[in-house]
Amino acid sequence: MGIQSRIIDTARLQTSVLENGNVGAHKRVLLVHGNVSSGEFFRDLLGQFPADVHAVAPDLRGYGGTEARPIDATRGLKDWSDDLLSLLDALNWPDAHLLGWSMGGGVVMQVALSAPERVKSLTLVAPVSPYGFGGTHGAEGTPNSPDYAGSGGGTVNAAFVQAVAAGDRSDAAGSPRDVMKKFYFNAAQFAPTPEQEEAWLTAMLQTRVGEDFYAGDQTPSEHWPNVAPGTRGVANAFSAKYQNLAAFANIQPQPPVLWVRGDADAIVGDASLFDLAQLGALGVVAGWPGAETCPPQPMLGQMRSVLDKYAARGGTYREVVLSGAGHSPFIEAPEEFWAEYAGHIGLTV
């Protein structure tokens, strides 16, 4: 069959997907991308599945070729998770093996919270913390300030958002191409082919921009860095004000969880270069009030805390760290990733 693209009408919106394999296959896999990307990033992974697997990589709302619908950030990740459940219905899938990358890791965790019986297994690839991105400290996601300052739409680099909106294909510092090559991967060990680079850049530039999409609106704050989450758009949806996946530890039934990350990830980690508190600690952002009141977010520790509680309640998870990989281990270390992932979903390696 090969990799195909199509638009699927669901009860919620028209969803653009890439897919591979037998449409009637018993084993069903859903691959969910992260922020400023699309299902295109999974094209090579899609090509690895055997013919008896039906693998689908949708574009989330606000990305790729999927119908543009505003994102209600006050629902956290539920706009996206509800969209995916509607897609499963349209595909006539009673359940599926779910993989989520980066922000998509949080989205598939929310799917498992909303409908755990529909999740055969869960694979989290460089996932966002269960307590969103920015503005929290400690293993339990305690906010640094009562209004969650330091997270949300106002924390995103405005020049980068403008470059996405303008369709900037240059290699200038801070451009989408530059950010992809420096931060989506560990540039010291991986470089995309020219064909991959252009396809992935095109996918990034399909991101819808605005207050209802990326990055979202913002609210002034009296707390450093003087911006707090608004109520609309992407970065507010995954702020800790609205995204809290701690209840994942209590879901029943409990699908097996594989957590894969690279040890050179500069985006999701305990010292993320996209966390304003970390940038403040490094002296890059002025006015940082110090580690007592605004420490960098321990993203890995927060995920591990939730998964440890999941395991304590009878669930199982494995944490796999791929040496030298950055934020996209399924791209940067495909053989090592496939060996772990195929076994997790019951495929013969």
Side-chain angles (χ1 to χ4, degrees), residues 110-124:
Q110 182 60 61
V111 172
L113 271 166
S114 299
E117 72 283 356
R118 303 195 73 171
V119 182
K120 296 282 287 183
S121 73
L122 204 60
T123 302
L124 307 175

Side-chain angles (χ1 to χ4, degrees), residues 76-230:
L77 305 178
K78 290 180 182 176
D79 272 355
W80 291 306
S81 64
D82 287 353
D83 290 346
L84 292 180
L85 287 168
S86 185
L87 176 62
L88 294 186
D89 291 341
L91 289 165
N92 294 314
W93 287 9
D95 51 35
H97 296 273
L98 268 56
L99 178 152
W101 167 45
S102 193
M103 181 187 80
V107 174
V108 297
M109 289 180 75
Q110 182 60 61
V111 172
L113 271 166
S114 299
E117 72 283 356
R118 303 195 73 171
V119 182
K120 296 282 287 183
S121 73
L122 204 60
T123 302
L124 307 175
V125 184
V128 66
S129 163
Y131 303 104
F133 201 98
T136 68
H137 65 271
E140 307 302 316
T142 305
N144 294 341
S145 59
D147 61 357
Y148 295 87
S151 66
T155 66
V156 178
N157 185 312
F160 178 76
V161 177
Q162 290 168 5
V164 172
D168 181 0
R169 302 191 73 94
S170 76
D171 58 1
S175 68
R177 186 189 300 273
D178 182 59
V179 168
M180 174 179 64
K181 292 169 69 174
K182 287 180 178 175
F183 297 107
Y184 282 34
F185 321 112
N186 175 16
Q189 295 202 26
F190 175 84
T193 66
E195 294 76 18
Q196 288 174 324
E197 184 174 318
E198 294 307 316
W200 293 337
L201 177 60
T202 296
M204 293 173 70
L205 296 178
Q206 289 178 307
T207 301
R208 310 309 198 283
V209 172
E211 291 191 337
D212 284 322
F213 298 103
Y214 178 71
D217 62 348
Q218 59 184 279
T219 303
S221 173
E222 62 179 316
H223 307 284
W224 188 88
N226 306 117
V227 290

Side-chain angles (χ1 to χ4, degrees), residues 13-129:
L13 76 174
Q14 292 185 317
T15 301
S16 176
V17 305
L18 288 178
E19 62 184 335
N20 192 18
N22 183 350
V23 171
H26 178 67
K27 192 174 289 289
R28 301 167 291 269
V29 174
L30 195 70
L31 308 174
V32 182
H33 67 83
N35 192 18
V36 195
S37 62
S38 77
E40 178 64 33
F41 279 78
F42 290 122
R43 183 176 290 273
D44 291 342
L45 181 59
L46 279 168
Q48 292 187 256
F49 289 100
D52 61 348
V53 175
H54 187 191
V56 173
D59 296 340
L60 297 174
R61 73 164 60 195
Y63 302 92
T66 288
E67 180 184 358
R69 293 283 182 92
I71 296 155
D72 179 356
T74 67
R75 303 189 72 230
L77 305 178
K78 290 180 182 176
D79 272 355
W80 291 306
S81 64
D82 287 353
D83 290 346
L84 292 180
L85 287 168
S86 185
L87 176 62
L88 294 186
D89 291 341
L91 289 165
N92 294 314
W93 287 9
D95 51 35
H97 296 273
L98 268 56
L99 178 152
W101 167 45
S102 193
M103 181 187 80
V107 174
V108 297
M109 289 180 75
Q110 182 60 61
V111 172
L113 271 166
S114 299
E117 72 283 356
R118 303 195 73 171
V119 182
K120 296 282 287 183
S121 73
L122 204 60
T123 302
L124 307 175
V125 184
V128 66
S129 163

